[in-house]
Amino acid sequence: MRVFVAVAEAGSLSAAARRMRAPLTSVSRKLGALEDELGVRLVMRTTRKLALTDVGRGYLDSCRRVLGEVEDGERLAAGAQAEPRGVLSITAPIVFGRLHVLPVIAELLAAYPALDVRLSMSDRVVDLVEDGLDAAVRIGVLADSSAVAIKLGEVRYVVCASPAYLRARGTPETPDDVAPHACIMFAPWSFRGRRIAIHARLAVDTAEAALDAALAGLGLTRVLSYQAAEHVRAGRLKIVLAEHEDPPLPVHVVHADARLVPARLRAFVDFAVPRLRARLRSIRDIAGSSRSTRSR
C-alpha cells in the first residue's frame, strides 16, 4: 500500500523508486503483486506517464486513511503520541474559515512544528471519508450520522444596514416594515420561520458583496452574524429586527468516529475547540448588542 501511494503521488514508477530509495524493479514488482492480490488494475502504464484507474483513485483514499491509522498506532505504541505530526486535513465554510478557522490554524502550527495542515474552504458539505478529511467545521443542523460532533456555539442570520441608510429611510420595527425598503439580496429573507417578500434592488452571490453594498448605503441586507460582526463592532453597520430573527444555527467540529483518534486530530480538537468557542462568544456578544439594547 505504501508503494502504491508513493507511485500515485510521484506520477511514475521511477520517481516513486527514487522517493522510497528502492530499486525500480522492487517497486514495480510490489505494485504488480498488490494488483494481483486485489484482482483489479490500479494503474494504467504507458511509455510516458502513469494514470490511476477509477478503482485506483478510490483505493488511494482508502490506503492513505489506513496507513495514517497504522502510523498513529505505531507512534502510540512507541510512546510518541504526545507529539502530533503528519498532515491534518480540515474543511470549513469559506468566510468562517477565513475569519476564524485560519487564525486558529496559524496558532496550531506555531504550537506543533511537526504538524502540517491542509485547509479546504468550501460552503459545500463534503463527506469526510470519501474526501480523506480528518475534520470539518460545519454550520447548521447536522444530518444523522456516526460522526463525532462537538458543538462550538451558534450563529444567527441578522438584518443590517449602514447608520446613514437608516437615518435617511428609517429603521424597520417589524418584518412587515421591510416592504418599502431597498434590500440587498444574498440569502432568503425569513423571520421566525416566515418567508417575506422584499424589494431586491441588488442581488449578489457572496456575503462580502452584500456587506460592501450595505456599507455603501444601498439598503438592508441579511447575512450570518459572524459575517457582519466586524462591521457591527466598528459601528459601520447596525443590526435591526433582532427580536424577530430565525432561531440560531449551531456550529460544530465534526470528525469520523474512530476508536483510535490520531494524534494530529486530537491536537486539533483540544487546541481549536476552546479557541473557536471563544470567538463565537465574541460574535454573539457583538452581533447581539442591538437586541440587548432594545430589551433595556
Side-chain angles (χ1 to χ4, degrees):
M1 292 173 78
R2 286 191 174 101
V3 167
F4 170 61
V5 170
V7 169
E9 293 179 347
S12 72
L13 295 175
S14 57
R18 288 192 297 271
R19 175 184 294 188
M20 301 187 73
R21 298 181 180 178
L24 176 59
T25 54
S26 176
V27 170
S28 179
R29 184 175 64 254
K30 289 183 178 181
L31 179 61
L34 178 63
E35 290 180 321
D36 290 342
E37 182 175 343
L38 295 173
V40 294
R41 179 66 64 85
L42 299 174
V43 174
M44 297 297 295
R45 303 168 182 81
T46 67
T47 55
R48 290 189 176 182
K49 63 180 181 178
L50 174 151
L52 297 181
T53 65
D54 290 340
V55 173
R57 283 190 291 272
Y59 187 61
L60 177 62
D61 291 335
S62 298
C63 287
R64 285 170 170 160
R65 186 168 61 254
V66 169
L67 291 172
E69 292 178 357
V70 169
E71 290 168 1
D72 288 326
E74 290 173 346
R75 284 196 293 271
L76 179 62
Q81 184 76 350
E83 176 60 24
R85 63 181 65 247
V87 178
L88 176 72
S89 298
I90 304 169
T91 183
I94 295 172
V95 179
F96 190 83
R98 177 175 60 83
L99 294 177
H100 297 288
V101 178
L102 185 57
V104 171
I105 292 299
E107 295 180 52
L108 179 72
L109 290 173
Y112 297 106
L115 188 65
D116 297 327
V117 174
R118 303 291 180 263
L119 175 60
S120 171
M121 291 187 282
S122 171
D123 292 333
R124 178 177 61 91
V125 176
V126 299
D127 186 281
L128 294 178
V129 175
E130 288 185 3
D131 288 78
L133 297 166
D134 292 298
V137 177
R138 288 182 175 159
I139 298 174
V141 178
L142 298 175
D144 291 336
S145 73
S146 61
V148 176
I150 304 167
K151 189 171 181 180
L152 302 175
E154 296 175 333
V155 295
R156 315 180 336 255
Y157 271 107
V158 298
V159 176
C160 56
S162 70
Y165 174 86
L166 295 174
R167 285 194 298 270
R169 298 290 300 272
T171 300
E173 300 291 338
T174 71
D176 292 334
D177 296 338
V178 172
H181 279 269
C183 295
I184 303 154
M185 183 69 173
F186 166 61
W189 287 56
S190 67
F191 296 93
R192 295 179 181 172
R194 179 173 67 94
R195 290 285 186 95
I196 66 165
I198 63 167
H199 176 205
R201 294 216 62 202
L202 175 66
V204 296
D205 59 2
T206 68
E208 291 91 340
L211 291 167
D212 286 345
L215 290 167
L218 296 185
L220 304 171
T221 194
R222 185 173 186 262
V223 295
L224 285 164
S225 53
Y226 71 86
Q227 296 167 338
E230 177 185 353
H231 299 301
V232 174
R233 179 190 292 112
R236 295 186 291 266
L237 292 177
K238 182 180 178 182
I239 294 175
V240 300
L241 300 171
E243 63 270 31
H244 298 283
E245 292 168 357
D246 282 342
L249 300 172
V251 183
H252 292 89
V253 166
V254 178
H255 65 84
D257 190 5
R259 287 174 294 177
L260 176 62
V261 177
R264 62 183 183 275
L265 177 56
R266 175 52 55 197
F268 171 73
V269 170
D270 292 344
F271 190 93
V273 165
R275 288 165 173 79
L276 291 173
R277 282 175 175 164
R279 285 174 167 268
L280 283 168
R281 283 195 298 271
S282 175
I283 293 169
R284 180 193 62 196
D285 294 342
I286 293 169
S289 59
S290 63
R291 175 183 292 173
S292 58
T293 299
R294 185 171 299 280
S295 66
R296 288 197 296 267

